[in-house]
Amino acid sequence: MVRHLPSTIKQLLALRNLDAYAGPSFHRLSCLLEKTYADACLKRAETGWLVLTTCTLLTANVPSSVGHLYHFVTRSEQNVRSSMCKAALMREAALKSVVFVGVPRVIGALAGLTGALEDDVKAGLRTDSRRSAKPENVGAIIARGTALWNSIYEPHASKLYDKLGSYHPDLISFIIQSYGSILSPLPGANEQGNLSRALGSVVAVACLRAEGRVGPQLTSHVFGLLKARTAKGLNEEDRWLASDEGTEWVIRTVDTVLDVVIAERDGDR
């Protein structure tokens, strides 16, 4: 059994920074959150703001800032249940981000969030998986994934399906299964932290905008957010987020958050 890294490999790894970025200073991040949250309140888009800010910080790879975001949004809460709901929303947004930016950054962000949670909040979050694939639910997962795929990509859904399948026969299968199990809203009206169809597209737009240089994918998911306006069961916030004005606001707010994170990360203090 290998218990330790050879010293030469450790030295080699250390040549490139292994740690996540430290993130903006407490003061600068707090000012940023105050400003963008106040704007979200004026637009009655507080949930959309929490989702896009979580995903932007996650994609920028600043896990400690995700924890600070949780403390910011729960700073005035008087009961555990409200804090728990916000933690669940952040946790779900982070999980959905795995579809766009991968497992490592999601693990880091969830670790940053979990480390910030109070014990009673942590105890109230669900601990059983709702996404374990079993013979009896695989069909439903694929059906949800296909429905979401069509909702985002029509009228080009079939053409794009075939195109991605031509790159690798398992790629499109993986995408559909990921859409069905992770990106789609969980079935059931009372799932803790469940994100709507529109908020799932906010996750996509925030991650891909913050990722950068993935223009075709970002454009597709901007269309996906705009198309969410036709989804069933929209609330007022969902309807606004999926409007032209709301979608523009999502993109601009991601840019505002990212500009501060990048400036600090690159030493422009």
Side-chain angles (χ1 to χ4, degrees), residues 4 31 38 41 48 146 158 162 221 226 242:
H4 304 285
C31 291
C41 290
T146 302
S158 295
D162 292 340
H221 283 281
L226 292 167

Coordinates of all heavy atoms in Angstrom, one line a residue, residues 4 31 38 41 48 146 158 162 221 226 242:
H4 N 2.5 7.4 1.4 CA 3.1 8.7 1.2 C 3.5 9.0 -0.2 O 3.9 8.1 -0.9 CB 4.3 8.9 2.2 CG 4.0 8.6 3.6 ND1 3.3 9.4 4.4 CD2 4.3 7.5 4.4 CE1 3.2 8.9 5.6 NE2 3.8 7.7 5.6
C31 N -19.0 44.3 1.0 CA -19.5 45.5 0.2 C -20.1 45.0 -1.1 O -21.2 45.5 -1.5 CB -18.4 46.5 -0.1 SG -17.8 47.3 1.4
A38 N -28.9 44.3 -2.5 CA -29.8 45.4 -2.5 C -30.5 45.5 -3.8 O -31.7 45.8 -3.9 CB -29.1 46.7 -2.1
C41 N -33.0 42.8 -4.3 CA -34.2 43.0 -3.5 C -35.2 44.0 -4.2 O -36.4 43.8 -4.2 CB -33.9 43.6 -2.1 SG -33.1 42.4 -1.0
G48 N -32.9 34.1 -6.9 CA -32.0 34.1 -8.1 C -30.6 34.7 -7.8 O -29.6 34.1 -8.3
T146 N -34.4 14.0 -20.8 CA -34.8 14.3 -22.2 C -35.8 15.5 -22.3 O -35.6 16.3 -23.2 CB -35.5 13.0 -22.8 OG1 -34.6 11.9 -22.8 CG2 -35.9 13.3 -24.3
S158 N -32.8 17.7 -31.5 CA -32.5 16.4 -32.2 C -31.1 16.5 -32.9 O -30.3 15.6 -32.8 CB -33.6 16.0 -33.1 OG -34.8 15.7 -32.4
D162 N -27.7 14.4 -31.9 CA -26.9 13.6 -32.9 C -25.5 14.0 -33.0 O -24.5 13.2 -33.1 CB -27.6 13.6 -34.2 CG -28.9 12.9 -34.2 OD1 -29.2 12.1 -33.3 OD2 -29.8 13.1 -35.1
H221 N -27.4 28.1 -23.1 CA -28.1 28.1 -21.8 C -28.7 29.5 -21.5 O -29.6 29.6 -20.7 CB -27.1 27.6 -20.7 CG -27.0 26.2 -20.7 ND1 -27.9 25.3 -20.2 CD2 -26.0 25.4 -21.2 CE1 -27.5 24.1 -20.3 NE2 -26.4 24.1 -21.0
L226 N -34.1 32.0 -21.1 CA -35.2 32.7 -21.8 C -36.4 31.8 -22.1 O -37.6 32.2 -21.9 CB -34.7 33.3 -23.1 CG -33.7 34.5 -22.9 CD1 -33.1 34.8 -24.2 CD2 -34.4 35.7 -22.3
A242 N -36.6 34.8 -16.2 CA -36.7 34.3 -17.6 C -37.1 35.3 -18.6 O -37.1 35.0 -19.8 CB -37.6 33.1 -17.7

